[in-house]
Amino acid sequence: MSTKVYRDQEREKNKEISKSNIVDVSKELFLNRGYAQTNMADIAEIAKISRKTLYRYFSSKEEIAMEIELDVFKTFVSVQDEIVKNIHGNGYEKLSQYLEKLDDLVDELSQLIKLTGMFDYYLVNDYPNESSQSEFIKLIEKVDEPFIEFIDEGVKDGSIQVEFDVSYLARTISNSFLALAQRIVTRQNHLDVELNIQSRKILAIQRSLFLKALKA
C-alpha cells in the first residue's frame, strides 16, 4: 500500500471518528438539556472541537439531528429484523407477537424513542438535504414492512379482517404505536399523576384494541 493511500484511509477513518463523536455528544446534550436548549456552541464545547471544525462536518443543528434520527431508525430496523426472524404462525399471530415484542422493547429503547419525539416536534420544515431525506424515507418504509406483511398475510389466510387499505392500516398502527410510546417515555411520571393510572400500561391497551379490531 502506498503512503498516499494509507494517509487517505487514515484521514477518512479519523473523519468518521470525529463525526461519530459529534453525533454522540449531541445525543447526550439533546437528551439532558433538550433540543431547543442546545446550540452549536454547546456541541463544539463538549465535543472539544472548535466551532469552525464542527461546521466542517455539519452545517446546522438540524443536520446533526437528522443524522441522529437516521442512526436511531437504523437501530430500530436492526432490532426489528431480529424480532421478525423468531415470529411464527398465521398473519394475526405474527402481528400479535410483533406488537408484544415492540411493547417489551419500549423501556430498553426509551432514550432513542425520546430522540424521535424531539425530531418530530422540532424538525417540521424541509429536510437538511436530499440525501438524508431519501435515506430516511427508505428507513421508514423498512420500519413499516412487518406491519404491512403480517396484515396482508392475515387477510390472505383468513385470520385478519380489514375494512381499510392494508398500507394505510399498517401505517396507522405503526405511527400510533410510536407516537404513544414517545409520549409515555417522555412524560410517564407526569402522566401517572395527571391521569391517576400507570400510564405505561396504555400501550398494552392500545395493542389489544388494534388486535381485537383486526381478528377475524
Side-chain angles (χ1 to χ4, degrees), residues 5 63 66 74 81 89 92 111 122 140 150 165 168 171:
V5 172
E63 195 171 298
M66 184 76 246
K74 286 173 185 174
D81 288 346
Y92 178 86
Q111 298 296 80
Y122 289 105
I140 292 294
F150 299 151
D165 180 279
Y168 278 90
R171 287 172 172 84

Side-chain angles (χ1 to χ4, degrees), residues 14-183:
N14 292 333
K15 182 178 179 181
E16 287 305 311
I17 291 173
S18 298
K19 186 175 181 181
S20 177
N21 180 52
I22 292 168
V23 169
D24 289 343
V25 164
S26 300
K27 281 181 184 178
E28 291 301 315
L29 285 171
F30 292 166
L31 287 168
N32 294 329
R33 297 185 185 179
Y35 179 83
Q37 289 72 37
T38 301
N39 57 44
M40 293 291 273
D42 298 327
I43 295 169
E45 179 183 356
I46 302 300
K48 297 180 180 178
I49 57 176
S50 67
R51 275 184 277 182
K52 182 178 179 180
T53 299
L54 175 59
Y55 279 101
R56 281 208 300 265
Y57 290 98
F58 296 100
S59 63
S60 65
K61 184 173 71 171
E62 290 72 24
E63 195 171 298
I64 298 175
M66 184 76 246
E67 188 73 20
I68 292 172
E69 185 76 344
L70 291 173
D71 282 352
V72 167
F73 272 84
K74 286 173 185 174
T75 300
F76 285 167
V77 168
S78 177
V79 171
Q80 153 192 309
D81 288 346
E82 288 302 311
I83 293 174
V84 170
K85 287 179 184 177
N86 299 303
I87 288 179
H88 306 284
N90 59 35
Y92 178 86
E93 291 166 342
K94 288 180 179 178
L95 180 64
S96 178
Q97 293 168 46
Y98 186 60
L99 284 169
E100 184 176 1
K101 293 291 185 182
L102 291 182
D103 193 340
D104 290 341
L105 281 169
V106 167
D107 298 315
E108 180 182 339
L109 302 179
S110 63
Q111 298 296 80
L112 300 186
I113 294 171
K114 283 182 182 179
L115 288 167
T116 67
M118 292 182 196
F119 181 88
D120 285 349
Y121 186 83
Y122 289 105
L123 276 74
V124 295
N125 297 315
D126 292 338
Y127 289 89
N129 55 66
E130 289 185 6
S131 63
S132 61
Q133 176 181 359
S134 177
E135 185 176 3
F136 186 56
I137 289 172
K138 288 177 182 177
L139 286 168
I140 292 294
E141 290 173 349
K142 184 69 176 175
V143 167
D144 289 339
E145 274 181 11
F147 293 100
I148 296 172
E149 177 186 336
F150 299 151
I151 295 173
D152 188 54
E153 186 176 338
V155 171
K156 290 176 180 176
D157 65 33
S159 61
I160 289 177
Q161 59 177 2
V162 298
E163 300 178 7
F164 308 99
D165 180 279
V166 170
S167 62
Y168 278 90
L169 179 58
R171 287 172 172 84
T172 297
I173 296 174
S174 176
N175 280 276
S176 297
F177 183 87
L178 178 57
L180 186 54
Q182 288 172 343
R183 180 166 170 77

